[in-house]
Amino acid sequence: MKSQTVINTFVEKTGAYVAAQLEACTRCGMCAEACHFYQSSGNPEFAPVWKIELLRRAYEQRFTPVGKFKVAFKLDKPVTDEDIAHWSFIDYQACTMCNKCSMVCPMGINLGPLIHTVREGLSDAQAVPADLKAAVNKQEEIGSPLGVTDDVFDSRIEWVADEWEIEMPMDVKGADTLVVFSSIEIMKFPNNLAAIAKILNAAGEKWTLSKKGREVVNFGFYEGNDKLTKEFMNRVFSAAKELGVKKIVVTECGHAYDALRWTSANLMDVPEIEITHIAGLLGEYVKSGRIKLKPGALDGNGTITFHDACKIQRRGSHIQEPRDILNILAPKSFREMTPNKEESICCSGGGGVIAIKEADPIRYASFELKIDQVNKVGAKTVAMACSNCRLQFTDCVQHFNLDWKVAGLSQLVADALVE
Amino acid sequence: MNWESTLEFARGPFFQVALLVFIAGMTYRLVAVLALGWKADKVKSKGSKVNGIAMSFAKGILIWPFIPWVKNTFTRNPITYLAGGLFHLGLFVVIFLGAAHVLVWKSLLGFAWFSLPQPIVDWLAAGAIVAMIALFINRLVNPVLKLLTGPAEWLNWLVVFLPMVSGYAMTHHVIPEYDTLFAIHMLTVDVLLIWIPLSRISHFMFYFFSKAIHGSDFGKRAVTP
Amino acid sequence: MPEETIGQHLKKQGISRRDFVKMCGVLVGAMGMKFAPPLEESGLPAQLNNVRDSASANLIANALETKQRVPVIWLEFSDCAGCSEAITRSQSPTLVDLVLNTITIEYHETLSAAAGFQAEKAKEDAMKKYAGKYILVVEGSIPVANDGVYCTIGGRTALDLLKETAKGAAAIISTGNCASFGGLPRANPNPTDAKGVWELITDKPVVNIPGCPAIPEATTGTIAHFVVFGGLPELDNLHRPKTFYAQTIHDRCLRRPFYEAGKFAESFDDEGAKKGYCLYKLGCKGPTTYSSCATIKWDQGLSFPIQSGHPCLGCTEPNFWDGGGFYQGQSAPLAPPTVTMAGAAVAAGAVLGVGAALANQVQKKGAHAEEKKEG
Ligand code: SF4
Ligand code: SF4
Ligand code: SF4
């Protein structure tokens, strides 16, 4: 009985944190208006609050007298396996865990984390979309969802070092900083690797890569699988410990940053190592003058705008740094989209959604909101600090035949370095 | 049973019992939730949780009705924002600053505070009633609300609406039998008091927790909630 | 000599036609004729509807002149004679004069010179002589517990006397809160099971003129109405003449602007009280009290309670003694829970809450165990 497993997990995970928020919800439906999946599809089942309906029902039926009464008098339907399949669909394929919904909830309910709890239940019951599960398994077995095995990693890094003629320190004991790429960058945006290496070298950072901790992406976290989430994070942490670094830099990946920086300590024992995101680091370098940028380097190529990633900006606070940088690089042509910063609209590809083939139609439909936003400012270039967003953007640019240039922030910085 | 003795019952023993049920019920709800246990947050904060919480409440209470413009979501469901805001504003003003209710507080607490001029209270009460009707219609037409609304929501609506209209009708003497309306008002208030702990109307208590959770989560990350 | 017309009687008294018309003008005002009664029913010419002031006074004078004086029997039961006393001190002596000239009081225990058997005899005679024509005025409530033994006159119970006298009455006027709604005798726990007249007599028209005491002008005005129009004025659902009870005290209160502005006296000697602020917070029942105290006032229009600084007690309303303390806000609950009760409620809630949470904690721990058992 999948439904039983899911409910049991919910029961197990429901503490005061979850209960207080479930109790506070007034079912006002406001959160739906924030969710890009609902906005683009009009499907009321994509309302954020509906995504946690199972959790609410489990809580009500198992923990509250009113719920027990309802069950006893058959006023409430029990949760069935069909329900589980259905919610697996709406929670995995129509939610990027972007948490925008919690920004508009009048009760301030943190829906993102609650939806994560729902995913935990679904994961326990093995009600995970096949594509996503396959990627998780791949990461478990070979260390990366995109097939970056040890060998692939070695050859890719070597190739990048050769191609861009850049030094890529590997497994350097005693380095200050461990840099962990995401396999999306390794496989799809190798220029990002080169760019980051170039910046770090220019800043005189004592940094290193690690073969063991080579993958920052955490598909266990997407799935809501605590055990694997911990295992994947542990690979990074133990590499960091072995190398004795003081700092871990998460490169352009949002979900990984959320997991590593903001979640890990509550799941496991973590070493006393600072964890930061490359966007934050870039801002620091520019501010302190460790790197110098050519002012106005990007001006004259049409309007440039910045896409705020849910996990790096709204959930990661690196809101100001990219703007500082873009104001140097493109003081004349940088324009903001609305809404932006912590209220930005999600790219629709995060949270594992882009890994699920089945979810393509809703993912594309939802991206249209982004197209609107970008077109409204008339941007020709869209910059971002998340390679998952970037993957979604490049895919959609192709799908919709758009003429935008999609750029990673690090790449823009690297290109404008004054050497 | 005539209206006079109904009123006496509704203002007297029934009210007393209803209020005690309310107090016990709300305490129960609160304790039952809190005693499920909080896990300590071991994540190192970047910003201040306290500031985040303060900001979250400030935004929620002081400028809530104005935030939606910023969020770009206002136009998508203005009724919920406007009617919801107006309803709560009217309700709070009437309950806490209407002269008649101030006297209730005085007799319950032994002290009281100022009350607002009658026309203000009156117009806000009317506004709250109109807002309730708007919210009712909204629940019938908005697709998300249609999905979310079940018998419980309708019941909640009714239980809140009745004391509001009966109170309004009473202050406006819509029928000369003042005690009839007063009795109805008190009966519905008593029912409401008993109903609150059994329903989602209790959200006002958990509001403080959910808003604080929201604020601290954002504050910890140094993001404005 | 009730057989003679009122006109003849007045002439005998030496009242000139001019003075008489003047008095009738007062009566027009007292009956609220300018704004009230549906005259068609009373059988008077419809033109009365349109006339005002002196014209209407003339009409009334004409109507009265040709009528016979109306006999009145005034009974007192569980009362304090306050209403009788009030009526003798009516604010418009001319009106009272007029009314006393247009009626003949055949029986009134407190006012009549005769007493004992003589008086009772007079009453019996009047009842026989004017059967079906006299007005019965009742003052005081009627206790009905234990066969009405709690109020007896000449060995007969109030209930008995009332029923007997009511039989031949053309109309009954209950004056004061006691006769109307039971008044003080009916206050909790109402040991004598006191009742108002209209609860006991249902086959005769009964007018209630509640108040403590009843506003004399309301009583006399109603009687005058009966005399002039030969019928009762329009009544509200509590059988009160609309002329005098259509508006609340609050509607006409001179402190009303302060109420609207939210300015209240918080105690009897504070700044607000001195400035004449609204007395709502001192327990004023004005908003729920239908009466014309605020317009007719007392003691020749000198003042009325709210004007002199005391909140309205709500004496024209049923349940006047049990509707909350006089100085307690009219909206306040009658029995607010005590601190101990509230504390007990909190304790009970907390105990239940902890219990529920413990049970839920157990559920949480065993969540997946159960599943394993199921296989
Ligand atoms: S906006 Fe918040 S309170 Fe309203 S339905 Fe969504 S989660 Fe519930
Ligand atoms: S987290 Fe984002 S994607 Fe998920 S329900 Fe909320 S708004 Fe929609
Ligand atoms: S004193 Fe009494 S009747 Fe007058 S305005 Fe105030 S509440 Fe109303």
Side-chain angles (χ1 to χ4, degrees):
Chain A
M1 280 284 278
K2 284 188 171 179
S3 52
Q4 209 44 54
T5 313
V6 173
I7 296 223
N8 287 339
T9 301
F10 290 166
V11 165
E12 189 181 53
K13 303 256 174 192
T14 299
Y17 175 88
V18 172
Q21 296 190 79
L22 290 175
E23 295 274 19
C25 173
T26 57
R27 292 169 94 70
C28 68
M30 214 52 243
C31 44
E33 311 303 335
C35 182
H36 41 284
F37 288 115
Y38 168 66
Q39 286 173 28
S40 58
S41 67
N43 181 354
E45 300 230 326
F46 291 171
V49 60
W50 194 249
K51 290 170 185 157
I52 59 168
E53 176 70 4
L54 282 187
L55 182 61
R56 184 196 67 81
R57 267 208 247 161
Y59 168 73
E60 192 181 79
Q61 295 181 357
R62 295 285 288 268
F63 283 179
T64 70
V66 170
K68 285 177 186 155
F69 173 88
K70 280 193 191 164
V71 171
F73 288 88
K74 305 237 173 339
L75 295 171
D76 204 359
K77 289 169 284 176
V79 177
T80 64
D81 282 2
E82 288 82 77
D83 288 340
I84 300 301
H86 182 63
W87 262 275
S88 165
F89 164 62
I90 58 178
D91 276 75
Y92 281 112
Q93 304 192 22
C95 178
T96 48
M97 325 275 298
C98 74
N99 217 22
K100 162 100 187 212
C101 38
S102 96
M103 301 290 298
V104 303
C105 170
M107 305 302 285
I109 290 163
N110 243 353
L111 286 138
L114 293 182
I115 294 174
H116 187 85
T117 309
V118 175
R119 285 193 176 187
E120 286 173 341
L122 295 168
S123 155
D124 278 354
Q126 271 134 44
V128 185
D131 289 349
L132 183 61
K133 192 66 207 176
V136 176
N137 290 343
K138 216 162 169 189
Q139 180 166 13
E140 188 181 7
E141 280 149 28
I142 64 172
S144 155
L146 289 188
V148 184
T149 56
D150 285 356
D151 295 343
V152 174
F153 185 65
D154 279 345
S155 65
R156 285 301 270 188
I157 297 296
E158 222 165 280
W159 172 69
V160 169
D162 281 357
E163 183 76 17
W164 278 274
E165 293 175 358
I166 200 150
E167 203 186 321
M168 303 282 271
M170 176 74 72
D171 285 325
V172 180
K173 277 221 160 76
D176 287 342
T177 306
L178 170 66
V179 174
V180 210
F181 289 118
S182 83
S183 48
I184 302 179
E185 290 168 293
I186 299 171
M187 298 308 284
K188 313 247 161 138
F189 306 119
N191 50 4
N192 235 35
L193 270 49
I196 289 171
K198 192 173 159 195
I199 297 165
L200 291 171
N201 291 339
E205 186 78 50
K206 279 168 70 190
W207 66 287
T208 180
L209 292 167
S210 155
K211 201 170 215 154
K212 185 175 181 194
R214 63 172 184 269
E215 173 63 286
V216 77
V217 161
N218 196 327
F219 266 61
F221 194 56
Y222 284 149
E223 184 195 322
N225 185 327
D226 276 1
K227 197 178 124 263
L228 292 179
T229 305
K230 281 190 261 188
E231 191 181 320
F232 298 160
M233 290 195 294
N234 202 35
R235 290 176 185 168
V236 176
F237 283 134
S238 59
K241 268 193 279 190
E242 275 165 29
L243 294 171
V245 296
K246 298 191 201 77
K247 193 195 281 186
I248 299 173
V249 174
V250 177
T251 59
E252 300 198 344
C253 180
H255 219 83
Y257 184 54
D258 194 19
L260 221 53
R261 170 66 179 89
W262 301 110
T263 315
S264 58
N266 285 338
L267 285 177
M268 58 202 284
D269 287 328
V270 294
E272 277 284 324
I273 299 176
E274 189 193 337
I275 302 165
T276 186
H277 190 266
I278 186 75
L281 197 66
L282 292 180
E284 220 179 277
Y285 285 168
V286 171
K287 211 176 198 170
S288 63
R290 275 175 82 175
I291 57 171
K292 290 228 155 35
L293 303 179
K294 280 189 220 115
L298 291 173
D299 275 340
N301 300 320
T303 305
I304 177 164
T305 190
F306 184 76
H307 163 73
D308 291 278
C310 329
K311 296 288 151 46
I312 299 167
Q313 275 78 32
R314 172 160 49 248
R315 311 265 298 148
S317 87
H318 298 298
I319 294 176
Q320 201 43 49
E321 297 94 330
R323 289 177 166 74
D324 290 346
I325 291 170
L326 286 171
N327 277 328
I328 297 174
L329 294 182
K332 293 202 198 91
S333 42
F334 172 53
R335 301 242 335 254
E336 292 275 13
M337 295 185 269
T338 36
N340 57 23
K341 302 185 182 168
E342 66 272 5
E343 282 155 10
S344 86
I345 297 178
C346 174
C347 71
S348 316
V353 171
I354 200 167
I356 306 167
K357 191 90 193 82
E358 251 179 286
D360 280 357
I362 40 179
R363 175 166 64 87
Y364 287 133
S366 175
F367 190 76
E368 288 183 37
L369 298 177
K370 208 73 220 183
I371 299 183
D372 266 8
Q373 258 198 311
V374 175
N375 285 345
K376 245 182 221 146
V377 293
K380 287 282 159 268
T381 309
V382 188
M384 59 206 70
C386 173
S387 52
N388 199 47
C389 294
R390 195 166 158 197
L391 190 61
Q392 160 78 344
F393 268 79
T394 39
D395 181 44
C396 289
V397 160
Q398 236 173 33
H399 180 87
F400 290 101
N401 247 327
L402 303 164
D403 60 347
W404 315 337
K405 196 169 154 251
V406 179
L409 184 70
S410 315
Q411 198 196 323
L412 295 178
V413 169
D415 291 349
L417 272 184
V418 179
E419 322 212 2
Chain B
M1 192 99 138
N2 57 6
W3 286 115
E4 267 170 63
S5 43
T6 309
L7 174 60
E8 216 174 301
F9 173 67
R11 274 177 82 189
F14 191 22
F15 178 80
Q16 190 184 67
V17 169
L19 195 59
L20 291 172
V21 168
F22 170 79
I23 294 173
M26 290 309 276
T27 315
Y28 166 81
R29 291 283 299 275
L30 184 64
V31 172
V33 164
L34 296 191
L36 279 176
W38 295 91
K39 275 206 192 111
D41 185 3
K42 292 194 208 121
V43 174
K44 240 195 255 134
S45 298
K46 182 171 173 189
S48 152
K49 287 189 182 182
V50 177
N51 286 353
I53 294 174
M55 189 62 195
S56 156
F57 279 113
K59 265 193 169 176
I61 295 167
L62 301 178
I63 46 178
W64 177 61
F66 308 106
I67 294 177
W69 275 273
V70 183
K71 308 271 191 206
N72 245 28
T73 43
F74 168 73
T75 45
R76 294 178 191 281
N77 199 351
I79 299 181
T80 303
Y81 271 118
L82 294 182
L86 181 61
F87 162 72
H88 282 92
L89 179 72
L91 192 75
F92 290 142
V93 166
V94 170
I95 292 184
F96 292 106
L97 297 175
H101 291 130
V102 168
L103 290 187
V104 177
W105 292 111
K106 187 168 181 180
S107 96
L108 291 179
L109 305 173
F111 62 90
W113 43 85
F114 71 100
S115 50
L116 279 183
Q118 189 61 23
I120 298 180
V121 177
D122 207 52
W123 277 107
L124 282 171
I129 290 175
V130 172
M132 273 300 267
I133 295 168
L135 290 171
F136 182 90
I137 298 170
N138 203 27
R139 278 199 182 267
L140 287 175
V141 295
N142 180 300
V144 174
L145 290 173
K146 269 199 273 188
L147 179 69
L148 293 177
T149 306
E153 278 69 34
W154 293 126
L155 254 174
N156 291 348
W157 183 90
L158 188 71
V159 170
V160 173
F161 190 64
L162 290 179
M164 290 170 59
V165 266
S166 58
Y168 191 79
M170 176 173 118
T171 45
H172 285 266
H173 299 257
V174 290
I175 57 167
E177 293 80 354
Y178 188 88
D179 52 356
T180 307
L181 290 172
F182 196 178
I184 295 174
H185 181 62
M186 286 313 297
L187 282 177
T188 53
V189 166
D190 296 342
V191 170
L192 173 64
L193 281 175
I194 294 174
W195 186 248
I196 290 174
L198 295 171
S199 69
R200 277 190 183 281
I201 308 175
S202 56
H203 68 267
F204 65 84
M205 183 169 71
F206 296 103
Y207 169 82
F208 295 98
F209 294 92
S210 61
K211 268 281 173 192
I213 288 172
H214 177 76
S216 78
D217 193 36
F218 277 73
K220 157 175 115 181
R221 295 160 193 258
V223 180
T224 321
Chain C
M1 293 285 116
E3 288 84 1
E4 62 189 357
T5 67
I6 295 164
Q8 288 163 347
H9 174 78
L10 285 169
K11 228 175 252 153
K12 247 198 237 160
Q13 304 278 314
I15 295 175
S16 72
R17 164 102 189 153
R18 171 184 271 271
D19 286 342
F20 176 55
V21 172
K22 230 194 235 161
M23 287 155 77
C24 288
V26 178
L27 191 57
V28 168
M31 291 190 298
M33 271 186 47
K34 269 171 248 166
F35 53 87
L39 295 165
E40 290 85 305
E41 289 157 35
S42 59
L44 264 157
Q47 63 198 74
L48 248 184
N49 268 328
N50 308 321
V51 297
R52 285 169 183 273
D53 305 327
S54 66
S56 51
N58 264 316
L59 268 162
I60 300 264
N62 288 339
L64 281 180
E65 263 186 323
T66 55
K67 294 226 155 150
Q68 289 185 357
R69 294 166 73 204
V70 176
V72 168
I73 294 176
W74 188 300
L75 296 181
E76 284 180 72
F77 298 128
S78 297
D79 76 331
C80 65
C83 293
S84 294
E85 171 144 7
I87 213 163
T88 63
R89 295 176 187 196
S90 172
Q91 65 159 288
S92 343
T94 51
L95 173 62
V96 175
D97 286 352
L98 177 70
V99 169
L100 293 180
N101 279 320
T102 56
I103 61 176
T104 60
I105 296 186
E106 300 292 330
Y107 176 82
H108 190 302
E109 273 180 355
T110 312
L111 297 183
S112 60
F117 296 119
Q118 266 180 350
E120 296 304 312
K121 173 90 175 34
K123 188 184 77 178
E124 265 155 42
D125 289 349
M127 277 165 57
K128 253 183 236 140
K129 191 165 174 193
Y130 304 113
K133 286 196 202 133
Y134 61 86
I135 296 180
L136 170 60
V137 177
V138 182
E139 186 184 353
S141 63
I142 301 94
V144 299
N146 296 331
D147 298 326
V149 293
Y150 299 109
C151 176
T152 58
I153 299 161
R156 296 181 61 195
T157 65
L159 186 58
D160 197 14
L161 289 167
L162 172 69
K163 283 193 172 149
E164 182 192 73
T165 323
K167 235 175 246 155
I172 302 176
I173 294 175
S174 303
T175 180
N177 196 301
C178 300
S180 302
F181 306 130
L184 174 62
R186 197 202 200 140
N188 241 344
N190 189 7
T192 66
D193 197 7
K195 285 201 174 357
V197 174
W198 69 324
E199 294 166 277
L200 302 167
I201 308 295
T202 46
D203 56 351
K204 292 277 168 185
V206 179
V207 188
N208 288 330
I209 315 282
C212 195
I215 298 179
E217 287 74 14
T219 312
T220 52
T222 305
I223 296 174
H225 190 284
F226 187 82
V227 174
V228 174
F229 299 121
L232 291 173
E234 208 191 333
L235 305 178
D236 70 5
N237 68 316
L238 291 174
H239 287 210
R240 301 177 294 197
K242 283 193 177 163
T243 321
F244 302 102
Y245 295 92
Q247 285 173 310
T248 61
I249 298 288
H250 187 65
D251 285 339
R252 291 311 197 94
C253 180
L254 74 171
R255 296 182 190 241
R256 177 68 178 269
F258 293 118
Y259 175 88
E260 299 293 345
K263 290 188 169 155
F264 299 102
E266 306 281 342
S267 75
F268 282 103
D269 53 0
D270 71 355
E271 209 39 45
K274 281 177 200 141
K275 286 191 176 138
Y277 287 176
C278 167
L279 303 170
Y280 186 72
K281 291 193 173 170
L282 294 174
C284 184
K285 309 289 187 290
T288 58
T289 304
Y290 286 84
S291 179
S292 41
C293 301
T295 40
I296 296 179
K297 303 192 180 171
W298 296 78
D299 291 322
Q300 307 180 28
L302 178 68
S303 182
F304 75 111
I306 290 172
Q307 191 173 352
S308 2
H310 194 281
C312 167
L313 302 179
C315 68
T316 61
E317 297 296 318
N319 232 10
F320 136 65
W321 284 90
D322 296 324
F326 287 163
Y327 304 106
Q328 185 188 22
Q330 66 130 27
S331 57
L334 297 179
T338 60
V339 176
T340 334
M341 286 179 187
V346 168
V351 169
L352 287 175
V354 169
L358 286 180
N360 290 341
Q361 293 272 20
V362 172
Q363 266 202 70
K364 275 175 67 166
K365 287 213 187 77
H368 282 291
E370 182 187 322
E371 200 179 312
K372 269 172 219 137
K373 249 186 279 156
E374 282 163 18

